[in-house]
Amino acid sequence: MQKGIIVLAAGGTGGHLFPAEALGHELKARGYSVHLVTDSRAERFAGKFPADEIHVVPSATIGSKNPIVVARALYKLWRGIRIARSLFNRLKPRAVVGFGGYPTVPPLLAASGMDIPTIIHEQNAVMGRANRMLANKVRAIAGGFLPENSGQYSAKTIVTGNPVRPDVIAAAATPYKLSGTDDPFNLVIFGGSQGAQYFSSAIPSAICLLDDDMRKRLHVVQQARPEDRDKVTSCFTRLGLPAEVSPFFADMPARIAAANLVICRSGASTVSELAVIGRPSVLVPYPYALDHDQAANAAALKAKGGAEVIAQSALSPEKLSEIIRTAMADPERLGRIAHAARETGKPKAAQALGDLVEAIANGRSLTEFKGVHA
């Protein structure tokens, strides 16, 4: 017997959608119908999302000082709230859960105004702008890296960890394999929706500086923007290097599991998946993130010995080449980093968040929930 509808709201990037997808699978397994509210960017991720229906609701950011632009944004938000209210009047959801990004603002404001139980999940160590707008409206705040003593909202914050997708849990079953100093070495590089451009030039330049013997060991998997793909591919072809270059890898968890080293940005979902799978990484926080959330996420994993962190401003082709060279020459050290990363992982975060959603949907207070799950 179906227990009712839970609506998940998330921005259209992987960082917001992947934890929502993981919770969706968990809620479906518990007998709920899951609906997703998002934007048009989510189409490439929607294939595996366990939603019975996907709804696109208008939304906008208010980042301009131009009064005309602000007025248009406010009107779009108002329209989005009205459409969300109409949708919820029809669906009658048991709860609405937001995962950040501006598309979550209208549905969460509509739900709180209709007295529908609401929760936001903050993936990062620093709360994003959309979630800051919503924090005083919702009944509970679940945190990935967000600490429970998070300022004015500490009383309604609980750390669940970041839910990871079933593909990540499956990939975590593959043990880390040390690469001997003469063995093939799998290097995986990705940068997310905003951060891949830098790696498209930095990685080929760094690999050029490696000794021939080391370069011959490399197999590279690299995410690159569509406009950079041909350039990156041709660089690796000239080097005689086996490489797979694509704007998007649908099987990225399996690619991470096969890696001896990962070089990537440090979005919350990325850091959480690296930890659950247990792979050594060099994290390069995206320097233009408005809230510097990636730096905070990376610092959390580094503090446990589960990653190296280096600022993009401190990197050069020479420095990056030295990092790769040192890693390839010391597999035992990579193994220790992989173990430390895995020790920090929270593979049961989806279950923990599912417990919280069910409790709030059933009218239990957060205080009561914390007491039971202390």
Side-chain angles (χ1 to χ4, degrees):
M1 182 178 174
Q2 192 185 91
K3 294 182 178 179
I5 293 172
I6 304 289
V7 172
L8 309 182
T13 64
H16 297 304
L17 280 166
F18 289 161
E21 177 190 326
L23 177 62
H25 284 290
E26 177 67 21
L27 293 173
K28 293 279 280 189
R30 296 185 185 205
Y32 291 93
S33 173
V34 172
H35 288 233
L36 173 67
V37 174
T38 186
D39 62 37
S40 58
R41 295 174 298 167
E43 288 179 357
R44 65 175 177 169
F45 301 106
K48 292 186 176 181
F49 204 101
D52 295 301
E53 290 186 43
I54 297 177
H55 312 274
V56 175
V57 170
S59 187
T61 55
I62 307 174
S64 174
K65 295 182 180 179
N66 184 320
I68 295 175
V69 174
V70 170
R72 286 174 178 164
L74 289 172
Y75 174 70
K76 199 170 184 181
L77 284 169
W78 176 78
R79 277 190 62 232
I81 293 169
R82 283 178 59 88
I83 290 171
R85 287 181 67 91
S86 176
L87 177 66
F88 297 157
N89 276 326
R90 176 170 66 86
L91 296 179
K92 296 180 171 47
R94 299 279 307 278
V96 178
V97 187
F99 285 85
Y102 67 88
T104 66
V105 175
L108 268 293
L109 288 179
S112 63
M114 298 169 72
D115 204 30
I116 298 168
T118 51
I119 300 169
I120 54 173
H121 181 273
E122 176 53 60
Q123 296 88 53
N124 295 291
V126 178
M127 192 176 287
R129 288 172 296 164
N131 277 346
R132 286 202 303 270
M133 287 178 62
L134 297 166
N136 68 332
K137 304 285 188 184
V138 299
R139 299 190 188 180
I141 300 170
F145 291 104
L146 192 70
E148 288 191 8
N149 59 348
S150 50
Q152 68 188 101
Y153 302 117
S154 58
K156 59 176 167 180
T157 300
I158 185 164
V159 174
T160 59
N162 284 319
V164 295
R165 298 165 286 160
D167 288 355
V168 176
I169 300 298
T174 302
Y176 181 66
K177 182 180 178 182
L178 296 181
S179 175
T181 52
D182 294 320
D183 295 335
F185 189 91
N186 293 325
L187 180 64
V188 174
I189 307 103
F190 57 96
S193 57
Q194 293 179 304
Q197 180 182 11
Y198 171 77
F199 292 134
S200 292
S201 58
I203 294 295
S205 299
I207 289 174
C208 277
L209 299 174
L210 291 174
D211 298 335
D212 284 345
D213 287 346
M214 280 198 163
R215 201 159 52 229
K216 287 175 182 177
R217 292 175 55 203
L218 277 176
H219 178 274
V220 176
V221 171
Q222 180 161 355
Q223 180 198 24
R225 301 182 309 167
E227 57 265 43
D228 296 330
R229 179 180 185 172
D230 290 346
K231 178 185 72 173
V232 176
T233 301
S234 64
C235 285
F236 290 139
T237 300
R238 287 197 302 272
L239 291 170
L241 197 71
E244 298 173 75
V245 182
S246 176
F248 181 70
F249 291 96
D251 59 344
M252 185 57 84
R255 306 281 182 157
I256 293 172
N260 297 109
L261 178 67
V262 178
I263 300 175
C264 60
R265 298 301 191 185
S266 52
S269 289
T270 294
V271 173
S272 298
E273 292 180 1
L274 285 168
V276 169
I277 298 171
R279 292 300 178 266
S281 60
V282 176
L283 301 177
V284 184
Y286 183 60
Y288 308 112
L290 290 175
D291 301 306
H292 303 292
D293 51 352
Q294 291 208 4
N297 299 337
L301 189 56
K302 179 184 178 181
K304 303 291 186 180
E308 292 184 51
V309 179
I310 185 164
Q312 183 172 307
S313 60
L315 275 182
S316 63
E318 293 77 14
K319 177 67 174 176
L320 195 50
S321 183
E322 180 59 30
I323 289 171
I324 297 170
R325 184 183 299 111
T326 300
M328 294 178 73
D330 193 352
E332 298 293 336
R333 175 173 155 273
L334 292 183
R336 291 191 296 272
I337 297 172
H339 177 74
R342 192 178 180 93
E343 287 291 298
T344 72
K346 294 187 176 180
K348 295 185 177 179
Q351 292 96 311
L353 184 56
D355 289 345
L356 176 62
V357 171
E358 278 205 296
I360 298 300
N362 289 328
R364 289 171 59 194
S365 71
L366 187 59
T367 301
E368 180 187 356
F369 179 82
K370 284 184 173 183
V372 172
H373 289 78

